[in-house]
Amino acid sequence: MHATAKQAATIAAKANVKQLILGHYSTRYANIELFKEEALTIFPNVLLADDGRIFEFE
């Protein structure tokens, strides 16, 4: 089963991670920003993975 954005954010908060990157979205969702908004209610540092997006970390 898949986790919701809120569940992923809860796990990230409990794990004391610095960054949460959400990905693997169903194509039935036209606006993936809604996932970020949902996760931000639990965890403050959320990014969305998307085709072609590159992340650089220190």
Side-chain angles (χ1 to χ4, degrees):
M1 296 186 69
H2 293 90
T4 65
K6 192 176 273 191
Q7 289 169 326
T10 299
I11 293 167
K14 288 181 180 181
N16 292 316
V17 299
K18 294 179 184 178
Q19 183 77 59
L20 171 62
I21 300 175
L22 298 174
H24 190 68
Y25 319 105
S26 172
T27 55
R28 68 180 164 189
Y29 298 102
N31 183 4
I32 63 173
E33 284 292 324
L34 298 175
F35 295 110
K36 183 176 182 178
E37 290 174 16
E38 180 180 310
L40 284 171
T41 66
I42 303 292
F43 190 80
N45 202 5
V46 180
L47 297 173
L48 297 174
D50 204 2
D51 291 343
R53 181 145 187 214
I54 297 171
F55 298 96
E56 293 187 26
F57 301 99
E58 296 178 15

